Amino acid sequence: MKALILVGGFGTRLRPLTLSFPKPLVDFANKPMILHQIEALKAVGVDEVVLAINYQPEVMLNFLKDFEAKLEIKITCSQETEPMGTAGPLALARDKLVDGSGEPFFVLNSDVISEYPLREMIEFHKAHGGEASIMVTKVDEPSKYGVVVMEETTGKVEKFVEKPKLYVGNKINAGIYLLNPSVLDKIELRPTSIEKETFPKIAAAQGLYAMVLPGFWMDIGQPKDYITGLRLYLDSLRKKSPGKLTTGAHIVGNVLVDETAKIGEGCLIGPDVAIGPGCVVESGVRLSRCTVMRGVRIKKHACVSSSIIGWHSTVGQWARIENMTILGEDVHVGDEIYTNGGVVLPHKEIKSNILKPEIVM
């Protein structure tokens, strides 16, 4: 089987992290976002993944070469010279996706994190015999999204309603599809939207079915949702493979610590924390609801909550970092500094307090 991952653009909502790496390579729960997807695809028998990309393809490919060998999966790029929307890239990658076998292929949005029930999706797709399957997820506020209106029993999609003012349903497109090769005949080679153009056509011809996603789902393309996604991911890990989580006297709730990280005496860590490879957390540190990426040093008695600390940054002694502070790569926060929602670009030194959310250039 084959799969296409829509990597797309510049990841502006996740800046300053995406100033150092393309968004799919930004770490989530101690590994690049896109790796969660590639591993899930590999597990259901996908042997080739095509990345639809228009930004820094060589960075992506060089990085993923190692994983290609480790996972024994072929990873190739289909490069856009202009942004092609969400359907155009499928037409562009047509030759890579169609091999004459007639097998359906997966399409995934690169910033979606979930339990990826891909095996169930294959079964669902075979059973309904339609042309395309999409995964949908239930949300509390459907008015913020495009809602999928479907028959509850069969899953047949009737129509799509974009940001409905009146309640029509609570299921939204989760960005995971399984499509027959014939779908590609319906997509022109131009910038076009799979949600607004391709799927409504297939639904009108009664060939589109939706499966309700079991378990959690999050689009982690912006910091607030990234932090929420981490909580949901660690929760799911607790249920499915609790052995992967870190335990100990200084741990509260769900915490993931890389085995190469060092943690000092008297710390309190958790809930909902990921600490990456090579990190040093000195004594008396308090961490909650945060991600600490590779090579970070957090000095004595610092406190970090609801924030993301980018690669190789340092947080000074007794510093306090909170309220969606995002430190880019190689940022150095001085001792006893307070930052409340600061978004700090890479390679900066912070010597004075950031009292209200602002961008530090």
Side-chain angles (χ1 to χ4, degrees):
M1 277 187 90
K2 298 189 179 202
L4 179 91
I5 300 179
L6 294 163
V7 173
F10 305 113
T12 47
R13 296 178 306 159
L14 258 192
R15 281 180 183 160
L17 301 169
T18 47
L19 296 173
S20 299
F21 291 94
K23 182 172 62 178
L25 300 186
V26 169
D27 299 325
F28 176 82
N30 292 355
K31 60 183 164 194
M33 256 180 227
I34 200 164
L35 205 54
H36 291 273
Q37 300 187 326
I38 293 173
E39 287 175 351
L41 289 164
K42 169 71 185 172
V44 294
V46 169
D47 47 23
E48 183 174 352
V49 174
V50 180
L51 307 176
I53 190 166
N54 67 7
Y55 176 58
Q56 296 187 318
E58 54 295 320
V59 178
M60 289 280 287
L61 279 181
N62 290 342
F63 185 88
L64 292 167
K65 277 284 165 265
D66 297 350
F67 294 108
E68 215 179 15
K70 264 185 219 153
L71 296 171
E72 297 176 351
I73 190 166
K74 186 176 172 193
I75 301 171
T76 57
C77 264
S78 168
Q79 192 183 356
E80 307 164 26
T81 48
E82 58 168 335
M84 295 287 280
T86 48
L90 277 73
L92 194 64
R94 185 191 179 102
D95 296 348
K96 294 178 186 284
L97 294 170
V98 177
D99 56 6
S101 67
E103 280 289 309
F105 58 89
F106 282 104
V107 177
L108 278 74
N109 284 347
S110 70
D111 38 17
V112 162
I113 202 91
S114 76
E115 285 169 6
Y116 306 116
L118 304 178
R119 197 170 299 289
E120 295 90 318
M121 195 172 191
I122 293 170
E123 297 302 315
F124 173 76
H125 187 76
K126 279 183 185 154
H128 68 65
E131 197 171 24
S133 301
I134 67 173
M135 202 81 88
V136 294
T137 184
K138 292 178 182 166
V139 288
D140 297 334
E141 290 183 62
S143 61
K144 292 191 338 198
Y145 303 92
V147 173
V148 179
V149 181
M150 56 189 268
E151 281 178 15
E152 290 301 317
T153 46
T154 62
K156 184 184 282 186
V157 175
E158 292 163 11
K159 60 180 177 181
F160 293 81
V161 184
E162 194 54 43
K163 297 187 177 165
K165 295 280 180 283
L166 297 169
Y167 184 86
V168 290
N170 64 346
K171 298 183 188 69
I172 65 159
N173 177 351
I176 301 172
Y177 319 130
L178 187 55
L179 312 177
N180 287 353
S182 58
V183 169
L184 294 171
D185 301 335
K186 297 179 168 61
I187 302 172
E188 293 173 31
L189 185 54
R190 60 178 172 86
T192 163
S193 160
I194 198 164
E195 301 85 358
K196 296 192 173 91
E197 297 184 54
T198 316
F199 286 156
K201 266 189 219 161
I202 300 171
Q206 318 254 317
L208 184 65
Y209 289 78
M211 171 182 155
V212 180
L213 180 82
F216 79 99
W217 176 88
M218 202 72 212
D219 171 340
I220 54 172
Q222 53 191 342
K224 185 165 78 31
D225 297 337
Y226 176 106
I227 295 286
T228 303
L230 182 65
R231 173 174 62 78
L232 297 171
Y233 175 85
L234 294 175
D235 249 1
S236 157
L237 210 54
R238 161 81 58 209
K239 295 183 189 109
K240 294 200 153 181
S241 11
K244 290 183 179 167
L245 294 171
T246 307
T247 51
H250 58 296
I251 300 284
V252 193
N254 299 332
V255 173
L256 192 62
V257 180
D258 187 89
E259 56 193 22
T260 60
K262 294 185 172 62
I263 294 179
E265 297 291 305
C267 292
L268 185 59
I269 295 175
D272 308 323
V273 173
I275 299 175
C279 290
V280 176
V281 178
E282 295 183 2
S283 58
V285 165
R286 174 73 180 105
L287 303 176
S288 62
R289 296 182 306 284
C290 64
T291 285
V292 179
M293 292 185 179
R294 185 177 60 248
V296 166
R297 176 178 286 265
I298 299 186
K299 296 185 178 174
K300 291 176 184 168
H301 308 294
C303 175
V304 180
S305 68
S306 301
S307 296
I308 302 174
I309 310 298
W311 309 269
H312 306 289
S313 293
T314 46
V315 174
Q317 299 187 28
W318 295 100
R320 186 177 182 93
I321 293 186
E322 62 187 24
N323 188 26
M324 284 301 142
T325 290
I326 314 295
L327 303 185
E329 181 183 15
D330 180 42
V331 169
H332 304 284
V333 175
D335 293 350
E336 299 177 33
I337 291 290
Y338 172 63
T339 156
N340 167 27
V343 172
V344 185
L345 271 67
H347 317 298
K348 300 291 294 181
E349 202 171 342
I350 301 296
K351 295 176 178 168
S352 54
N353 295 336
I354 300 173
L355 298 176
K356 61 181 199 308
E358 61 173 291
I359 295 171
V360 179
M361 312 280 281

